[in-house]
Amino acid sequence: MPKFSPLKNILIWLVVLAGFAFALPNIVPREHLAGWPVWLPHRQVPLGLDLQGGSDIVLKIDRDNLVAERLETTIARIAQALRDADIGYTGLSGSGQEIQFRLRDASKAAAAREALSALTAPVEAPDHTGSPIRELIADGASGQEPLRLRLTDEGIDFRLSAALTQAVEAVRRRVGEVVAVEPVIRRRGTDRLSIQIPGLEDPQRLKDLLGQRGDLAFRWLDTSMPPQQALDTRPPAASEVLYSLDDPPVPYLVERQAFVSTPDFADAQPGLDPKTGEPVVDIKLRTDASERLTSLLQSASRRQFAIVLDGQVVSTPALGDVIEGDTARLSADLSEEGAENFAALLRAGPLPVSLTVIEERTVGPEVGTDAIANGLTAGLVAAAAVAACMIGFYGFFGLVAVIAVIVNVVLIIAVLSLLGITLTLPGIAGIILTIGVAVDSNVLIYERLREEVRSSSEPLRKALDNGFSRVLTSIFDANLTMLIAGAMLFLLGTGAIRGFAATLAIGSITTILTAHSLTRRLIRGWYRRRRPKHLPRGIRTGFFAEADIRFMALRNPVFIVMASLSLASLVLLVSLGLNMGADFKGGSLLELRSKAGAADVADLRARLDELNLAEVQIQELGSARDILLRIPSQEAGDNADQTAMGLVRAELEDDYSFRRVEVVGPAVSGELTRAGTLAVAAAILAIIFYVWLRFDWKFAAGAVITTLHDVLLTMGFLVVTGIEFNLASLAALLTIVCYSLNDTMVVYDRVRENLARYRRMPLSLLIDTSINQTLSRTILTAITTAFALVALYLFGESRVVQSFSATLLFGVVIGTMSSIYIAGPVLILFNRRNNSLDGTLGGRGTIRHDKATGAA
């Protein structure tokens, strides 16, 4: 074995030591970390809500509502500016982003433009980094009638961004009114906020608070005409018609100008009316507002006014019945809970814009605890099965592989802790899968070492050195494809895809380090201590090496069968389609557990049918107490889905606990479909491009055909079994792509090597030789990966994990077969031996084809 650079040795062992140091806090209870030594890392891997319980709610700003508000505000500012400049106008109105009006005196057009210059002037961006923004521009030539102005798209985007920034703190205050836990609030895109609240079991109260803008105002009733007359004709310019919260709503004519509004409120608390005992909300007024109302009470104590909340009339009391000193007492037929929510809404302050809940994912804490326990059980069982398999086949070398895999997992945990990447349930699945896949590199190494020792007359030291050097390319190629896939998924994917992609990408990097560099140094230490002349007797894969199976002799019938299955899968996919989950078609999914005894499915169906929620699917899940409900997306939009969820909660919460809730609006489901498709397509294209660069276009074409076959068969499997196709299934599909490409590239790498070594061997025989030479690796990798997936299926009780592992298990079997019976025949079909190999072999020569003998 060669002498390694001392610096490289130090760096590798430092990385391993740092990995254990950063991973160590994860085995210490969080409450004990306070007494942890200062010089040691303290960060633990943050757990996703699917592991610790809580709610993930996505809110969206309605751009159309924002435009309407900006239009109304701008019209009011234009009217004020023209009045201040003493310029008469008529027909001031707007539609969409356009505003128009006429001047009573056309000669004042220039003066009107001058009066409006402050509104059309550029506005500096709030971060002072961008160029000035024009929110309002004048359309048309000077003097043109009518005068037209337009709200610019960049101005709307500016207001949207500013409103989203302001909404963060307002949302944080409202969450604080519901739970004491600090939420994680992130901007998502240009118009959305994502709120993660650990430990929140029932998000309904929070959603109720977030669904209201919270803009409260006291506005005088206009008694100059009846409300119905104002509707039939036209209300006075200073007034408008608003409706009450009653059913049916009652119209009221109220003045536009408020005499008390939200900025005048100092505090709000729920209470009881001392006279009636009914729940009320006591609002403490600021000093200036209190003084203003005191003077009003002297002249208009019996005058009625409207309490207006978000544009709707709550009640219409007399001023003297509400104001008492510096307190306004609001009573509007509130329940105790309603009074608490109303007070919380006022204390938190209004939102700058209206927000709509478009996505909700809630997991009960007991579900998260079960997920962690089941994940650990599955991981331990998978690790034990893989360890037993490796030690059984390789003896001492297998023990070295187990050590490398343990270090690999520790490094993954360390990176997650160091970078603060959230570990989710799909992320645990990715780690468990890494346990099975990571041994592939060790198997590649050991099989190459065994081949080098068997075929070489050189000393064992030299043979070991040659084996490690020659296998590095295969390990690097295989894991780099996984890294490319993980990176693409993380950048373009969302939710479960990103959680899986994070561990997949990190695992691909740590595998290269542990499987090659660490294993090489461990085996070097064994050699230096023992000075052996032969490999350990514990290696028991020789019977695979002696195989001389003529795979290509059966290539035509097997290829036809597999191609037919692919075609049948395509037909099934087009005709029947996938069982799309809520992630891709919208709607709601609920896991319920009966609080007393077995769940009564018939009673559930009858109660849900009365809610008129279309065709609700009810499925028994696991035990007799557990039920899975699928509610289709309501046609009236995202708010309708949330309304449907509220109805279901109100109907069932007394008898059932809500263990998991997923509500995906139609807008989100469409975006998830596009994002998921884009992520998978980008990952596959990036991988194929890399294969093309590393080999050449015919090898890349073979990899494409092989991968397409595996994808089609897997999707056919999903259609036939009816497994729900969701974000986790999408992640499983890409993993199958990576696994298939991994297998195919190992075979192609050996074919490329043998093309240079056996220049006159017929291509079919050369492919058979290459497949037989890598057969040990193919079988052992499939077995260890299957062990990990079977453990994941049996002990990962989550329906998501079970469908994920079942899909992957099928893909592993198909991917293993296709790397032999699709990848090989495709090369023969392309008649690869007719072409120069200068580009592929790095200038090691060309192969000539003898047409007479068919030999190369």
Side-chain angles (χ1 to χ4, degrees), residues 128 178 189 260 300 373 379 398 473 503 544 582 591 607 755 812:
H128 304 289
V178 177
V260 173
T473 300
T503 52
F544 291 130
E591 288 186 21
R607 294 166 69 178
L755 281 169
V812 166

Side-chain angles (χ1 to χ4, degrees), residues 15-158:
V15 168
V16 174
L17 181 62
F20 276 91
F22 280 103
L24 189 60
N26 291 282
I27 63 174
V28 179
R30 188 176 296 274
E31 58 271 16
H32 294 166
L33 283 177
W36 201 248
V38 178
W39 51 272
L40 281 176
H42 285 65
R43 299 184 67 175
Q44 293 183 326
V45 177
L47 298 179
L49 296 183
D50 53 356
L51 295 179
Q52 63 174 324
S55 292
D56 187 346
I57 299 173
V58 179
L59 304 168
K60 180 182 180 181
I61 296 177
D62 191 320
R63 186 185 178 92
D64 292 339
N65 286 344
L66 182 68
V67 171
E69 289 184 12
R70 290 301 305 158
L71 188 70
E72 183 177 349
T73 301
T74 304
I75 288 175
R77 293 180 65 189
I78 290 172
Q80 186 63 47
L82 293 175
R83 285 196 297 268
D84 291 344
D86 194 24
I87 299 174
Y89 64 89
T90 184
L92 177 58
S93 62
S95 176
Q97 294 178 216
E98 304 289 337
I99 300 171
Q100 64 178 11
F101 63 92
R102 293 180 181 275
L103 298 176
R104 298 186 186 278
D105 184 353
S107 64
K108 292 188 176 183
R113 293 185 182 274
E114 178 63 26
L116 300 178
S117 60
L119 301 181
T120 58
V123 178
E124 187 174 0
D127 54 8
H128 304 289
T129 58
S131 57
I133 298 169
R134 288 187 180 274
E135 293 192 77
L136 186 68
I137 61 174
D139 281 349
S142 178
Q144 175 180 316
E145 286 282 350
L147 296 179
R148 301 179 186 275
L149 299 101
R150 178 170 54 85
L151 297 173
T152 65
D153 289 333
E154 63 176 358
I156 297 299
D157 292 339
F158 162 70

